[in-house]
mmCIF file of all heavy atoms in Angstrom:
data_model
loop_
_atom_site.group_PDB
_atom_site.id
_atom_site.type_symbol
_atom_site.label_atom_id
_atom_site.label_comp_id
_atom_site.label_asym_id
_atom_site.label_seq_id
_atom_site.Cartn_x
_atom_site.Cartn_y
_atom_site.Cartn_z
ATOM 1 N N VAL A 1 0.861 -1.181 0.000
ATOM 2 C CA VAL A 1 0.000 0.000 0.000
ATOM 3 C C VAL A 1 0.900 1.236 0.000
ATOM 4 O O VAL A 1 1.823 1.332 0.809
ATOM 5 C CB VAL A 1 -0.926 0.019 1.233
ATOM 6 C CG1 VAL A 1 -1.851 1.229 1.206
ATOM 7 C CG2 VAL A 1 -1.725 -1.269 1.331
ATOM 8 N N THR A 2 0.624 2.152 -0.915
ATOM 9 C CA THR A 2 1.392 3.394 -0.994
ATOM 10 C C THR A 2 0.489 4.561 -0.624
ATOM 11 O O THR A 2 -0.611 4.701 -1.164
ATOM 12 C CB THR A 2 1.969 3.596 -2.407
ATOM 13 O OG1 THR A 2 2.789 2.467 -2.728
ATOM 14 C CG2 THR A 2 2.805 4.861 -2.495
ATOM 15 N N PHE A 3 0.967 5.375 0.303
ATOM 16 C CA PHE A 3 0.269 6.582 0.731
ATOM 17 C C PHE A 3 1.079 7.774 0.232
ATOM 18 O O PHE A 3 2.275 7.871 0.512
ATOM 19 C CB PHE A 3 0.181 6.664 2.261
ATOM 20 C CG PHE A 3 -0.559 5.523 2.891
ATOM 21 C CD1 PHE A 3 0.097 4.332 3.205
ATOM 22 C CD2 PHE A 3 -1.909 5.637 3.182
ATOM 23 C CE1 PHE A 3 -0.583 3.281 3.795
ATOM 24 C CE2 PHE A 3 -2.594 4.585 3.779
ATOM 25 C CZ PHE A 3 -1.930 3.399 4.080
ATOM 26 N N ARG A 4 0.448 8.658 -0.512
ATOM 27 C CA ARG A 4 1.105 9.877 -0.986
ATOM 28 C C ARG A 4 0.313 11.067 -0.446
ATOM 29 O O ARG A 4 -0.874 11.180 -0.710
ATOM 30 C CB ARG A 4 1.121 9.928 -2.503
ATOM 31 C CG ARG A 4 2.052 8.943 -3.119
ATOM 32 C CD ARG A 4 2.034 9.042 -4.657
ATOM 33 N NE ARG A 4 2.810 7.968 -5.234
ATOM 34 C CZ ARG A 4 2.327 6.774 -5.542
ATOM 35 N NH1 ARG A 4 1.058 6.488 -5.346
ATOM 36 N NH2 ARG A 4 3.106 5.847 -6.050
ATOM 37 N N TYR A 5 0.998 11.919 0.293
ATOM 38 C CA TYR A 5 0.372 13.100 0.880
ATOM 39 C C TYR A 5 0.969 14.324 0.212
ATOM 40 O O TYR A 5 2.196 14.438 0.090
ATOM 41 C CB TYR A 5 0.644 13.136 2.389
ATOM 42 C CG TYR A 5 0.107 14.385 3.057
ATOM 43 C CD1 TYR A 5 -1.226 14.482 3.409
ATOM 44 C CD2 TYR A 5 0.941 15.464 3.316
ATOM 45 C CE1 TYR A 5 -1.724 15.616 4.019
ATOM 46 C CE2 TYR A 5 0.454 16.612 3.921
ATOM 47 C CZ TYR A 5 -0.869 16.679 4.264
ATOM 48 O OH TYR A 5 -1.363 17.817 4.859
ATOM 49 N N MET A 6 0.127 15.213 -0.251
ATOM 50 C CA MET A 6 0.606 16.434 -0.886
ATOM 51 C C MET A 6 -0.195 17.616 -0.370
ATOM 52 O O MET A 6 -1.385 17.491 -0.102
ATOM 53 C CB MET A 6 0.456 16.345 -2.399
ATOM 54 C CG MET A 6 1.364 15.309 -3.021
ATOM 55 S SD MET A 6 1.507 15.442 -4.796
ATOM 56 C CE MET A 6 -0.028 14.736 -5.318
ATOM 57 N N GLU A 7 0.491 18.733 -0.232
ATOM 58 C CA GLU A 7 -0.205 19.964 0.093
ATOM 59 C C GLU A 7 0.454 21.101 -0.662
ATOM 60 O O GLU A 7 1.641 21.038 -0.996
ATOM 61 C CB GLU A 7 -0.247 20.235 1.592
ATOM 62 C CG GLU A 7 1.059 20.461 2.259
ATOM 63 C CD GLU A 7 0.904 20.675 3.767
ATOM 64 O OE1 GLU A 7 -0.217 20.590 4.295
ATOM 65 O OE2 GLU A 7 1.915 20.950 4.405
ATOM 66 N N SER A 8 -0.345 22.092 -0.956
ATOM 67 C CA SER A 8 0.186 23.262 -1.648
ATOM 68 C C SER A 8 -0.515 24.509 -1.148
ATOM 69 O O SER A 8 -1.649 24.463 -0.685
ATOM 70 C CB SER A 8 0.015 23.132 -3.165
ATOM 71 O OG SER A 8 -1.345 23.245 -3.521
ATOM 72 N N VAL A 9 0.220 25.598 -1.243
ATOM 73 C CA VAL A 9 -0.311 26.904 -0.913
ATOM 74 C C VAL A 9 -0.055 27.782 -2.128
ATOM 75 O O VAL A 9 1.074 27.897 -2.590
ATOM 76 C CB VAL A 9 0.389 27.514 0.321
ATOM 77 C CG1 VAL A 9 -0.134 28.916 0.597
ATOM 78 C CG2 VAL A 9 0.215 26.620 1.526
ATOM 79 N N ALA A 10 -1.117 28.343 -2.663
ATOM 80 C CA ALA A 10 -0.983 29.276 -3.787
ATOM 81 C C ALA A 10 -1.476 30.629 -3.307
ATOM 82 O O ALA A 10 -2.468 30.714 -2.579
ATOM 83 C CB ALA A 10 -1.810 28.801 -4.977
ATOM 84 N N TYR A 11 -0.780 31.666 -3.685
ATOM 85 C CA TYR A 11 -1.206 32.994 -3.271
ATOM 86 C C TYR A 11 -0.843 34.005 -4.323
ATOM 87 O O TYR A 11 0.042 33.803 -5.152
ATOM 88 C CB TYR A 11 -0.609 33.382 -1.914
ATOM 89 C CG TYR A 11 0.868 33.125 -1.822
ATOM 90 C CD1 TYR A 11 1.779 34.092 -2.181
ATOM 91 C CD2 TYR A 11 1.336 31.895 -1.380
ATOM 92 C CE1 TYR A 11 3.133 33.837 -2.106
ATOM 93 C CE2 TYR A 11 2.687 31.643 -1.299
ATOM 94 C CZ TYR A 11 3.583 32.617 -1.659
ATOM 95 O OH TYR A 11 4.918 32.362 -1.593
ATOM 96 N N GLN A 12 -1.599 35.101 -4.308
ATOM 97 C CA GLN A 12 -1.388 36.176 -5.254
ATOM 98 C C GLN A 12 -1.737 37.497 -4.577
ATOM 99 O O GLN A 12 -2.749 37.601 -3.886
ATOM 100 C CB GLN A 12 -2.267 35.978 -6.490
ATOM 101 C CG GLN A 12 -2.041 37.042 -7.545
ATOM 102 C CD GLN A 12 -2.754 36.708 -8.849
ATOM 103 O OE1 GLN A 12 -3.552 35.794 -8.922
ATOM 104 N NE2 GLN A 12 -2.445 37.451 -9.880
ATOM 105 N N ILE A 13 -0.874 38.489 -4.777
ATOM 106 C CA ILE A 13 -1.134 39.829 -4.262
ATOM 107 C C ILE A 13 -2.045 40.527 -5.258
ATOM 108 O O ILE A 13 -1.804 40.501 -6.455
ATOM 109 C CB ILE A 13 0.172 40.636 -4.111
ATOM 110 C CG1 ILE A 13 1.174 39.911 -3.218
ATOM 111 C CG2 ILE A 13 -0.112 42.045 -3.621
ATOM 112 C CD1 ILE A 13 0.770 39.773 -1.800
ATOM 113 N N ARG A 14 -3.091 41.137 -4.751
ATOM 114 C CA ARG A 14 -3.998 41.920 -5.602
ATOM 115 C C ARG A 14 -3.999 43.353 -5.087
ATOM 116 O O ARG A 14 -4.271 43.602 -3.919
ATOM 117 C CB ARG A 14 -5.406 41.356 -5.561
ATOM 118 C CG ARG A 14 -5.454 39.950 -6.116
ATOM 119 C CD ARG A 14 -6.705 39.766 -6.910
ATOM 120 N NE ARG A 14 -6.801 38.417 -7.392
ATOM 121 C CZ ARG A 14 -6.574 38.070 -8.648
ATOM 122 N NH1 ARG A 14 -6.232 38.962 -9.523
ATOM 123 N NH2 ARG A 14 -6.685 36.819 -9.019
ATOM 124 N N LYS A 15 -3.706 44.275 -5.964
ATOM 125 C CA LYS A 15 -3.718 45.682 -5.596
ATOM 126 C C LYS A 15 -5.171 46.140 -5.459
ATOM 127 O O LYS A 15 -6.071 45.554 -6.059
ATOM 128 C CB LYS A 15 -2.982 46.519 -6.657
ATOM 129 C CG LYS A 15 -1.500 46.175 -6.773
ATOM 130 C CD LYS A 15 -0.761 46.493 -5.494
ATOM 131 C CE LYS A 15 0.722 46.155 -5.622
ATOM 132 N NZ LYS A 15 1.435 46.376 -4.372
ATOM 133 N N PRO A 16 -5.428 47.185 -4.674
ATOM 134 C CA PRO A 16 -6.798 47.663 -4.513
ATOM 135 C C PRO A 16 -7.454 47.911 -5.870
ATOM 136 O O PRO A 16 -6.846 48.472 -6.779
ATOM 137 C CB PRO A 16 -6.629 48.974 -3.733
ATOM 138 C CG PRO A 16 -5.351 48.781 -2.975
ATOM 139 C CD PRO A 16 -4.474 47.963 -3.906
ATOM 140 N N GLY A 17 -8.680 47.429 -6.015
ATOM 141 C CA GLY A 17 -9.424 47.609 -7.259
ATOM 142 C C GLY A 17 -9.324 46.448 -8.218
ATOM 143 O O GLY A 17 -10.123 46.317 -9.139
ATOM 144 N N GLN A 18 -8.321 45.565 -8.052
ATOM 145 C CA GLN A 18 -8.212 44.392 -8.919
ATOM 146 C C GLN A 18 -9.263 43.368 -8.509
ATOM 147 O O GLN A 18 -9.496 43.154 -7.317
ATOM 148 C CB GLN A 18 -6.829 43.748 -8.819
ATOM 149 C CG GLN A 18 -5.741 44.479 -9.555
ATOM 150 C CD GLN A 18 -4.441 43.694 -9.474
ATOM 151 O OE1 GLN A 18 -4.024 43.280 -8.401
ATOM 152 N NE2 GLN A 18 -3.810 43.496 -10.611
ATOM 153 N N PRO A 19 -9.893 42.699 -9.490
ATOM 154 C CA PRO A 19 -10.906 41.694 -9.147
ATOM 155 C C PRO A 19 -10.277 40.464 -8.493
ATOM 156 O O PRO A 19 -9.137 40.114 -8.765
ATOM 157 C CB PRO A 19 -11.535 41.339 -10.493
ATOM 158 C CG PRO A 19 -10.494 41.704 -11.506
ATOM 159 C CD PRO A 19 -9.722 42.855 -10.927
ATOM 160 N N SER A 20 -11.040 39.805 -7.622
ATOM 161 C CA SER A 20 -10.604 38.588 -6.950
ATOM 162 C C SER A 20 -10.985 37.372 -7.763
ATOM 163 O O SER A 20 -11.900 37.422 -8.578
ATOM 164 C CB SER A 20 -11.264 38.459 -5.574
ATOM 165 O OG SER A 20 -10.961 39.555 -4.782
ATOM 166 N N GLY A 21 -10.313 36.263 -7.494
ATOM 167 C CA GLY A 21 -10.662 34.990 -8.110
ATOM 168 C C GLY A 21 -11.771 34.324 -7.312
ATOM 169 O O GLY A 21 -12.144 34.791 -6.245
ATOM 170 N N PRO A 22 -12.306 33.199 -7.811
ATOM 171 C CA PRO A 22 -13.362 32.496 -7.078
ATOM 172 C C PRO A 22 -12.802 31.836 -5.813
ATOM 173 O O PRO A 22 -11.682 31.369 -5.802
ATOM 174 C CB PRO A 22 -13.849 31.447 -8.076
ATOM 175 C CG PRO A 22 -12.694 31.240 -9.001
ATOM 176 C CD PRO A 22 -11.960 32.550 -9.057
ATOM 177 N N ALA A 23 -13.601 31.811 -4.765
ATOM 178 C CA ALA A 23 -13.184 31.204 -3.496
ATOM 179 C C ALA A 23 -13.401 29.698 -3.532
ATOM 180 O O ALA A 23 -14.395 29.219 -4.064
ATOM 181 C CB ALA A 23 -13.969 31.804 -2.342
ATOM 182 N N ALA A 24 -12.444 28.947 -2.982
ATOM 183 C CA ALA A 24 -12.595 27.501 -2.868
ATOM 184 C C ALA A 24 -13.596 27.201 -1.754
ATOM 185 O O ALA A 24 -13.652 27.890 -0.752
ATOM 186 C CB ALA A 24 -11.250 26.853 -2.573
ATOM 187 N N LYS A 25 -14.380 26.147 -1.914
ATOM 188 C CA LYS A 25 -15.480 25.842 -1.007
ATOM 189 C C LYS A 25 -15.050 25.176 0.305
ATOM 190 O O LYS A 25 -15.741 25.260 1.292
ATOM 191 C CB LYS A 25 -16.484 24.940 -1.709
ATOM 192 C CG LYS A 25 -17.024 25.548 -2.981
ATOM 193 C CD LYS A 25 -18.469 25.829 -2.842
ATOM 194 C CE LYS A 25 -19.070 26.229 -4.167
ATOM 195 N NZ LYS A 25 -19.319 27.592 -4.323
ATOM 196 N N GLY A 26 -13.945 24.452 0.330
ATOM 197 C CA GLY A 26 -13.508 23.786 1.547
ATOM 198 C C GLY A 26 -14.140 22.428 1.770
ATOM 199 O O GLY A 26 -14.081 21.893 2.859
ATOM 200 N N GLU A 27 -14.774 21.860 0.754
ATOM 201 C CA GLU A 27 -15.393 20.547 0.882
ATOM 202 C C GLU A 27 -14.380 19.450 0.578
ATOM 203 O O GLU A 27 -13.556 19.581 -0.310
ATOM 204 C CB GLU A 27 -16.573 20.431 -0.081
ATOM 205 C CG GLU A 27 -17.673 21.435 0.209
ATOM 206 C CD GLU A 27 -18.749 21.467 -0.865
ATOM 207 O OE1 GLU A 27 -18.675 20.682 -1.824
ATOM 208 O OE2 GLU A 27 -19.660 22.291 -0.731
ATOM 209 N N THR A 28 -14.478 18.348 1.327
ATOM 210 C CA THR A 28 -13.617 17.199 1.074
ATOM 211 C C THR A 28 -14.247 16.358 -0.030
ATOM 212 O O THR A 28 -15.443 16.111 -0.016
ATOM 213 C CB THR A 28 -13.457 16.352 2.344
ATOM 214 O OG1 THR A 28 -12.882 17.178 3.365
ATOM 215 C CG2 THR A 28 -12.553 15.154 2.100
ATOM 216 N N THR A 29 -13.412 15.944 -0.985
ATOM 217 C CA THR A 29 -13.911 15.099 -2.064
ATOM 218 C C THR A 29 -13.172 13.769 -2.050
ATOM 219 O O THR A 29 -12.009 13.693 -1.653
ATOM 220 C CB THR A 29 -13.731 15.757 -3.451
ATOM 221 O OG1 THR A 29 -12.338 16.025 -3.666
ATOM 222 C CG2 THR A 29 -14.503 17.061 -3.544
ATOM 223 N N LEU A 30 -13.860 12.736 -2.485
ATOM 224 C CA LEU A 30 -13.293 11.397 -2.581
ATOM 225 C C LEU A 30 -13.438 10.934 -4.020
ATOM 226 O O LEU A 30 -14.536 10.932 -4.568
ATOM 227 C CB LEU A 30 -14.017 10.427 -1.648
ATOM 228 C CG LEU A 30 -13.694 8.938 -1.813
ATOM 229 C CD1 LEU A 30 -12.230 8.657 -1.509
ATOM 230 C CD2 LEU A 30 -14.601 8.095 -0.934
ATOM 231 N N ALA A 31 -12.325 10.564 -4.617
ATOM 232 C CA ALA A 31 -12.343 9.998 -5.971
ATOM 233 C C ALA A 31 -11.805 8.581 -5.874
ATOM 234 O O ALA A 31 -10.651 8.363 -5.497
ATOM 235 C CB ALA A 31 -11.485 10.833 -6.914
ATOM 236 N N ARG A 32 -12.635 7.608 -6.185
ATOM 237 C CA ARG A 32 -12.216 6.203 -6.123
ATOM 238 C C ARG A 32 -11.525 5.818 -7.421
ATOM 239 O O ARG A 32 -11.980 6.170 -8.501
ATOM 240 C CB ARG A 32 -13.426 5.299 -5.898
ATOM 241 C CG ARG A 32 -14.005 5.435 -4.506
ATOM 242 C CD ARG A 32 -15.163 4.471 -4.284
ATOM 243 N NE ARG A 32 -15.569 4.474 -2.899
ATOM 244 C CZ ARG A 32 -16.398 5.356 -2.373
ATOM 245 N NH1 ARG A 32 -16.921 6.288 -3.113
ATOM 246 N NH2 ARG A 32 -16.708 5.294 -1.095
ATOM 247 N N GLY A 33 -10.432 5.048 -7.286
ATOM 248 C CA GLY A 33 -9.729 4.555 -8.464
ATOM 249 C C GLY A 33 -10.542 3.476 -9.161
ATOM 250 O O GLY A 33 -11.350 2.782 -8.546
ATOM 251 N N LYS A 34 -10.341 3.343 -10.451
ATOM 252 C CA LYS A 34 -11.100 2.361 -11.232
ATOM 253 C C LYS A 34 -10.214 1.223 -11.740
ATOM 254 O O LYS A 34 -10.647 0.411 -12.526
ATOM 255 C CB LYS A 34 -11.776 3.068 -12.402
ATOM 256 C CG LYS A 34 -12.716 4.177 -11.952
ATOM 257 C CD LYS A 34 -13.662 4.574 -13.019
ATOM 258 C CE LYS A 34 -14.505 5.762 -12.707
ATOM 259 N NZ LYS A 34 -15.108 5.863 -11.431
ATOM 260 N N GLY A 35 -8.968 1.172 -11.279
ATOM 261 C CA GLY A 35 -8.032 0.151 -11.732
ATOM 262 C C GLY A 35 -8.312 -1.219 -11.143
ATOM 263 O O GLY A 35 -9.270 -1.412 -10.387
ATOM 264 N N PRO A 36 -7.441 -2.169 -11.442
ATOM 265 C CA PRO A 36 -7.647 -3.540 -10.968
ATOM 266 C C PRO A 36 -7.472 -3.701 -9.461
ATOM 267 O O PRO A 36 -7.965 -4.657 -8.878
ATOM 268 C CB PRO A 36 -6.591 -4.342 -11.729
ATOM 269 C CG PRO A 36 -5.556 -3.348 -12.119
ATOM 270 C CD PRO A 36 -6.272 -2.044 -12.299
ATOM 271 N N LYS A 37 -6.765 -2.790 -8.816
ATOM 272 C CA LYS A 37 -6.554 -2.841 -7.368
ATOM 273 C C LYS A 37 -7.221 -1.623 -6.729
ATOM 274 O O LYS A 37 -7.354 -0.573 -7.356
ATOM 275 C CB LYS A 37 -5.059 -2.833 -7.033
ATOM 276 C CG LYS A 37 -4.304 -4.062 -7.483
ATOM 277 C CD LYS A 37 -4.484 -5.172 -6.482
ATOM 278 C CE LYS A 37 -3.537 -6.310 -6.796
ATOM 279 N NZ LYS A 37 -3.402 -7.220 -5.691
ATOM 280 N N PRO A 38 -7.608 -1.720 -5.448
ATOM 281 C CA PRO A 38 -8.244 -0.581 -4.769
ATOM 282 C C PRO A 38 -7.316 0.643 -4.709
ATOM 283 O O PRO A 38 -6.101 0.515 -4.529
ATOM 284 C CB PRO A 38 -8.510 -1.110 -3.361
ATOM 285 C CG PRO A 38 -8.543 -2.596 -3.503
ATOM 286 C CD PRO A 38 -7.574 -2.914 -4.605
ATOM 287 N N SER A 39 -7.904 1.804 -4.879
ATOM 288 C CA SER A 39 -7.167 3.063 -4.754
ATOM 289 C C SER A 39 -8.176 4.196 -4.613
ATOM 290 O O SER A 39 -9.363 4.020 -4.875
ATOM 291 C CB SER A 39 -6.272 3.309 -5.976
ATOM 292 O OG SER A 39 -7.056 3.469 -7.144
ATOM 293 N N GLY A 40 -7.680 5.340 -4.205
ATOM 294 C CA GLY A 40 -8.555 6.497 -4.075
ATOM 295 C C GLY A 40 -7.778 7.723 -3.660
ATOM 296 O O GLY A 40 -6.630 7.632 -3.225
ATOM 297 N N THR A 41 -8.423 8.872 -3.815
ATOM 298 C CA THR A 41 -7.817 10.140 -3.444
ATOM 299 C C THR A 41 -8.830 10.960 -2.656
ATOM 300 O O THR A 41 -9.955 11.161 -3.107
ATOM 301 C CB THR A 41 -7.386 10.936 -4.699
ATOM 302 O OG1 THR A 41 -6.458 10.163 -5.447
ATOM 303 C CG2 THR A 41 -6.758 12.263 -4.318
ATOM 304 N N LEU A 42 -8.409 11.417 -1.491
ATOM 305 C CA LEU A 42 -9.173 12.366 -0.690
ATOM 306 C C LEU A 42 -8.513 13.722 -0.868
ATOM 307 O O LEU A 42 -7.283 13.830 -0.768
ATOM 308 C CB LEU A 42 -9.121 12.005 0.794
ATOM 309 C CG LEU A 42 -10.014 10.890 1.274
ATOM 310 C CD1 LEU A 42 -9.637 10.500 2.698
ATOM 311 C CD2 LEU A 42 -11.467 11.300 1.214
#
């Protein structure tokens, strides 16, 4: 069994008056693998 943990932080400075990007919702998602062996990503 292989466990891979990744995290990232992305940031951008916006000067006053510049439009903002869309906000991330903060929901946890689960994607199950479809291969011959069990796998998934949270």
Side-chain angles (χ1 to χ4, degrees):
V1 182
T2 302
F3 299 86
R4 289 180 187 89
Y5 176 81
M6 293 194 283
E7 64 182 3
S8 70
V9 177
Y11 48 90
Q12 183 171 10
I13 304 294
R14 297 219 183 255
K15 296 296 180 184
Q18 284 184 310
S20 301
K25 303 246 189 257
E27 298 171 2
T28 301
T29 59
L30 170 63
R32 290 183 171 84
K34 301 197 187 316
K37 294 278 190 164
S39 64
T41 301
L42 281 169

